[in-house]
Amino acid sequence: MLNKLKKLFPRKDGNLIKFNADFEQLNNLEKLTHKRFTLDEKNLYPCLNDNTEETGFDRHYVYHPAWAIRILLQNKPKKHVDISSTLHFCAALSAFLPVDFYDYRPAKIELSNLKSLAGDLMQLPFESNSVTSLSCMHTIEHVGLGRYGDPLDYDGDLKAINELKRVLAPDGTLLFVVPLGAIDTICFNAHRIYSKKQVLSLFSDLVLKEFSLIPENEMDGGLIIDPSDELLSKQFYGCGCFWFTKK
């Protein structure tokens, strides 16, 4: 069996040896108890890198929904509108708040309190000044880079931001999240990375209520409210979380 696995995973020799030994041991343990499952080589599903001392996680996509949900629990809106953020956020939020999720490619998800609808960030289907609780998180950085089938547009993010600002109601809440670094950068065709200075410039006509940083290095902390300039200067691919309201 080990030779078969080496062909599939040629660079995992050390882990494969342990995997092979564990499989044989589980076969032997099965013989000592009541057989309840089919344990066969044809159903092998090698997970060779999960035996770690700590549970790893995507810092951006765990912390930023947690940040947003805490703000919405505080605000208690009657309904929330989300534009193409992670479905994990919308699904969790819908447990206690009606959520309308809009995406260029609508998701086939069925949950109470959650609607999945078609929407184009370049032309949002709302009247101006009409949405009181709005989020667009880890989305704008992709617009116009073609990654998700959208047309190439160097300023696509600016057009999308203008739409968010247009539909936001006076005194409404906008939760906006993008990759954040010391230098404004395009990593084609994945995403843009923004400096704090550029984000604040793009939203200069809104009021910043809170700014938090998810540092790329876990040693620098988890979710940092009002991070220092020194910490910001260390970032290449951190995550900036901005809570804006409209004057």
Side-chain angles (χ1 to χ4, degrees):
M1 183 183 68
L2 184 58
N3 289 333
K4 175 183 175 182
L5 288 172
K6 280 184 176 179
K7 291 180 181 179
L8 295 174
F9 304 96
R11 299 180 182 178
K12 307 288 185 181
D13 289 358
N15 287 336
L16 283 177
I17 291 172
K18 184 179 186 309
F19 178 87
N20 183 64
D22 286 350
F23 182 76
E24 296 301 332
Q25 183 179 355
L26 191 62
N27 267 294
N28 292 330
L29 290 171
E30 182 183 60
K31 297 172 184 176
L32 302 177
T33 188
H34 176 64
K35 182 179 176 67
R36 295 181 293 115
F37 301 96
T38 298
L39 180 60
D40 192 279
E41 290 186 15
K42 69 180 181 181
N43 297 319
L44 290 177
Y45 195 136
C47 298
L48 305 177
N49 300 300
D50 295 336
N51 184 10
T52 58
E53 293 183 1
E54 296 180 349
T55 298
F57 62 93
D58 187 316
R59 291 172 57 78
H60 286 216
Y61 280 89
V62 170
Y63 281 120
H64 91 251
W67 167 81
I69 287 175
R70 281 160 171 76
I71 291 174
L72 292 169
L73 274 172
Q74 174 185 328
N75 289 352
K76 296 182 174 61
K78 293 181 179 180
K79 185 177 81 169
H80 184 72
V81 174
D82 179 82
I83 312 297
S84 302
S85 304
T86 172
L87 272 175
H88 295 87
F89 163 70
C90 294
L93 186 62
S94 69
F96 61 88
L97 179 67
V99 179
D100 289 350
F101 168 80
Y102 288 84
D103 197 283
Y104 187 71
R105 308 166 305 163
K108 294 182 179 180
I109 184 170
E110 298 181 11
L111 280 174
S112 60
N113 257 1
L114 177 60
K115 294 180 181 178
S116 179
L117 305 163
D120 186 347
L121 252 172
M122 299 299 194
Q123 192 173 0
L124 291 174
F126 311 111
E127 294 182 3
S128 299
N129 303 308
S130 65
V131 182
T132 58
S133 187
L134 179 66
S135 59
C136 187
M137 305 189 298
H138 245 312
T139 301
I140 291 292
E141 68 267 21
H142 305 299
V143 177
L145 297 186
R147 175 176 174 179
Y148 297 106
D150 53 319
L152 290 175
D153 187 339
Y154 188 89
D155 292 328
D157 58 333
L158 302 184
K159 297 170 184 176
I161 286 171
N162 286 335
E163 275 294 276
L164 293 173
K165 294 191 292 185
R166 178 185 69 81
V167 304
L168 183 65
D171 297 322
T173 288
L174 170 61
L175 303 178
F176 181 78
V177 173
V178 286
L180 204 79
I183 300 174
D184 298 297
T185 304
I186 291 179
C187 300
F188 188 78
N189 67 349
H191 51 252
R192 300 174 181 86
I193 301 173
Y194 298 81
S195 64
K196 177 187 176 184
K197 180 180 179 180
Q198 181 173 181
V199 174
L200 294 183
S201 174
L202 295 175
F203 289 93
S204 60
D205 46 345
L206 299 187
V207 176
L208 179 66
K209 289 203 66 173
E210 181 179 300
F211 166 58
S212 294
L213 173 71
I214 303 163
E216 58 187 306
N217 188 337
E218 64 180 10
M219 300 302 293
D220 289 323
L223 188 61
I224 310 298
I225 298 177
D226 293 327
S228 67
D229 290 341
E230 180 183 3
L231 181 56
L232 289 172
S233 70
K234 294 168 58 177
Q235 307 305 307
F236 176 74
Y237 186 70
C239 184
C241 303
F242 299 82
W243 174 7
F244 292 111
T245 60
K246 181 179 279 188
K247 297 177 184 178

